[in-house]
């Protein structure tokens, strides 16, 4: 009840300065002839309708016209996005297929460095059956795991042998997050034949 009471009180206080002018307008309206009253009432209704049209209806109509003009462009953009999505899924399926051969050592080396494994922490050597042996010396284990996941996904490489130990300092204390060891990667057909 309080908010309603406050609203009524605010309306009364806002109307108070206008009461004398409203009283004079009522007196003038009552002094008019019946025909003139109908004309004034009709003009008020017409003015009210014009205000409603200009304030409420016309902006909505303008928005509808604007959106109808933009709709063909948006449909074109939606078709382009759908086409790009189709192309991306086709590329993803094509790259998900295992590679037939082992990638070049230079390509593997570049991907190791991009993964956050500096060149001094690893070495690539040839392994049996056309694979690659990755030797690690105090390499970050999180970057290595990310790279191994990407190598399997991007090139279809399979891990055939893993021999990792936690890296230790000169005093024999383990270094957190660092590993030493060797990982042997094989091309997919060689890994499948084993």
């Amino acid at each position: 009840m309080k908010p309603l009471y406050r609203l009524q009180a605010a309306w009364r206080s806002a109307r108070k300065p206008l009461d004398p002018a409203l009283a004079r307008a009522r007196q003038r309206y009552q002094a008019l002839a019946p025909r003139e009253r109908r004309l004034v009432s009709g003009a008020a209704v017409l003015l009210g309708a014009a205000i409603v049209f200009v304030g409420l209806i016309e902006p909505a109509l303008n928005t509808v016209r604007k959106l109808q003009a933009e709709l063909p462009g948006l449909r074109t953009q939606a078709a382009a996005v759908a086409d790009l999505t189709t192309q991306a899924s086709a590329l993803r399926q094509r790259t998900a297929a295992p590679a037939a051969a082992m990638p070049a050592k230079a390509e593997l080396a570049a991907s190791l460095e991009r993964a956050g494994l500096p060149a001094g922490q690893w070495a690539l050597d040839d392994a049996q059956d056309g694979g690659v042996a990755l030797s690690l010396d105090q390499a970050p284990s999180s970057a290595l795991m990310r790279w191994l996941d990407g190598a399997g996904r991007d090139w279809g490489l399979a891990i055939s042998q893993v021999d990792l130990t936690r890296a230790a300092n000169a005093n024999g204390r383990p270094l957190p997050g660092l590993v030493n060891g060797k990982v042997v990667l094989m091309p997919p057909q060689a890994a499948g034949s084993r």
Side-chain angles (χ1 to χ4, degrees), residues 131-154:
V132 171
L134 173 64
S135 301
L136 302 160
D137 182 33
Q138 293 187 358
S141 60
S142 58
L144 174 66
M145 295 305 156
R146 272 194 313 272
W147 182 82
L148 288 172
D149 180 47
R153 187 178 55 247
D154 296 342

Side-chain angles (χ1 to χ4, degrees), residues 2 17-18 27 31 37 57 66 101 104-105 110 117-118 133 138-139 156 159-160 162 181 184 189:
K2 279 188 173 182
L18 298 176
Q27 286 175 353
R37 282 187 202 160
I57 297 172
K66 179 182 168 189
K105 282 187 184 178
L117 293 161
Q138 293 187 358
I159 300 171
S160 72
V162 177
V184 178
Q189 75 275 11

Side-chain angles (χ1 to χ4, degrees):
M1 248 354 222
K2 279 188 173 182
L4 184 61
Y5 178 74
R6 286 186 195 146
L7 188 62
Q8 287 175 342
W11 171 250
R12 279 191 219 117
S13 65
R15 206 180 80 179
K16 200 175 243 182
L18 298 176
D19 278 340
L22 289 174
R24 279 192 304 257
R26 269 191 226 108
Q27 286 175 353
R28 284 189 179 176
Y29 182 75
Q30 296 297 329
L32 294 174
R35 182 175 178 210
E36 290 172 338
R37 282 187 202 160
R38 283 192 299 267
L39 285 172
V40 169
S41 297
V45 168
L46 189 62
L47 180 64
I51 288 172
V52 166
F53 179 78
V54 169
L56 300 175
I57 297 172
E58 188 180 26
L61 288 175
N62 288 340
T63 302
V64 167
R65 284 187 205 113
K66 179 182 168 189
L67 292 176
Q68 283 177 342
E70 291 177 0
L71 188 60
L74 293 174
R75 284 186 177 150
T76 304
Q77 289 176 1
V81 167
D83 185 43
L84 287 173
T85 303
T86 304
Q87 289 176 8
S89 66
L91 284 173
R92 193 175 307 121
Q93 289 173 355
R94 189 171 53 187
T95 57
M102 195 72 177
K105 282 187 184 178
E107 193 175 353
L108 289 173
S111 72
L112 283 163
E113 289 185 19
R114 280 192 307 270
L117 293 161
Q121 295 177 341
W122 52 267
L124 288 172
D125 299 314
D126 291 327
Q128 297 174 351
D129 299 328
V132 171
L134 173 64
S135 301
L136 302 160
D137 182 33
Q138 293 187 358
S141 60
S142 58
L144 174 66
M145 295 305 156
R146 272 194 313 272
W147 182 82
L148 288 172
D149 180 47
R153 187 178 55 247
D154 296 342
W155 293 300
L157 299 180
I159 300 171
S160 72
Q161 180 185 352
V162 177
D163 181 23
L164 294 176
T165 57
R166 193 168 184 183
N169 65 11
N171 298 326
R173 290 192 157 192
L175 297 172
L178 301 177
V179 293
N180 293 333
K182 183 177 179 181
V183 177
V184 178
L185 301 167
M186 303 298 285
Q189 75 275 11
S193 64
R194 289 187 141 205

